[in-house]
Amino acid sequence: MSSDAANSPIKDRVIGVIGAGTMGEGIAQTAAHAGFVVETLDTNPDLVKKAYATIHERLDRQVEKNKLPRHERDETIARLRIATGTDSFKNAELVIEAVPEDLTLKRRILGELAEKLSPRTVLASNTSSISMTKLADGLKHPERFIGMHFFNPAPVMKLVELISSPKTDFQTVVLGVSFANAFGKTPIKVKDSPGFVVNRVARPFYLESLAMLEGGVADVQTIDAAVRDVGRFPMGPFQLLDLIGLDVNLAVTKTVHEGFDKPARFAPNAIQSKLVEQGRLGRKTQRGFYDYSSEPATRSFETPVRSAEGWKPTAALTAFAKALNKPADRAMYLFARIMTAIINEAALAAETIALPREVDLGMKYGLNYPEGPLELADFIGLDVVQNLMREFAADDRSGRYEAAPLLLKHIAEGNLGEKSAAGFLRHSL
Ligand code: NAD
């Protein structure tokens, strides 16, 4: 952005959006509400009109509920324009591509844009899983290309993952941060890597739960209840799988699994794959792990559960429960299995692709986690997390519980979390 543009009043600032589907529509609303003029392009202008009509209806409802002043609705709507071609983007400071998740399609569109846009325009992709490195490959001016991963619904969700390819330059990242802030979002800076931060660190939430189900440790409802009651998550993993769609979730797992060269910890789960094959995809097909054909939903997936008779909490689980000020019972064990795996993945991400603080922000603002996994680890004590991992690893041969090097490094240096004033994050005593 030129200094002129940086100083210009917001009403003159133009953002381009390509694709008026679920995400394009939400991004257009977000940018227009923030004061930018938005030019949206789709294959057919009627699709843009339809998206804008939906935005209008949504804002009308907010006005009716007194959540939005009437003039803000009117001004937002007045800033929405229908692009007639890439020429409409000639004054745009930022153009965000939100077309379907298809590498060939995205490369074609980004290639055309990079040829035509002013060299000052930042070019962004809202891809949720395609490698930014692949998208940047062969692009003219790859230094001004960045991933801006919004979450659905874009006007509501606070997070934007800003993903750099190896060719993205520093100034583009700085501009990405300022655009995200201007949209009222919290950006986190991420280096290109499969699943970026949020979709990667969230994998164990599902996969560890599925592994426990498969191993007969507990049933669907018991695991969901443990995650809600002990972890204070709004939904359990199986409820969330049903909501997202087992197929959509499986596709993300496969991308991350393959992107990392197939480590055991990301291996797709056989139960989930089977349910997808059977067309039991969750709420959208009325059946997944629960049956939604009548209210309230009932459990629809049964597996044999091993008896927990004689089970006793270990010292590590007792320490984990004590930190959370809750009983060291079976629910605590189930939650500890899931949370420890998430913490370990967060530690792996924090060592390689994003700052620890931003990994936490990603999980809180992208997926509404009650706490960031790394701040929770610091609160519990990194030594306690390591002891739990050791115990879980003792019953497993796959290597999925191997402690992250960053966790081990902090422990070796005596940085055990809040109790020693430093862990993944710094704390003042
Ligand atoms: P969508 O299918 O709802 O919308 C895509 C839009 O792109 C459609 O309106 C389509 O007509 C348009 N389009 C197709 N080809 C085009 C072309 N050549 N030129 C202009 N427009 C074209 O898809 P979506 O769910 O909005 O997803 C868009 C992107 O955002 C994908 O990369 C997806 O991975 C990512 N994403 C989706 C979500 C989500 O929850 N839906 C969340 C985050 C990121």
Side-chain angles (χ1 to χ4, degrees), residues 19 21-23 42-43 98-101 106 109 126 128 149-150 152:
T22 309
M23 294 310 290
D42 206 302
T43 44
V99 300
E101 193 76 341
K106 283 191 191 283
I109 289 173
N126 184 47
S128 45
H149 184 207
F150 289 78
N152 188 18

Side-chain angles (χ1 to χ4, degrees), residues 344 347-348 385-386 389-390 393 399-408:
N344 203 49
L348 288 166
V385 173
Q386 185 193 19
M389 298 267 317
R390 275 202 194 115
R400 58 194 287 144
Y401 301 105
E402 198 179 313
L406 187 63
L407 176 75
L408 300 179

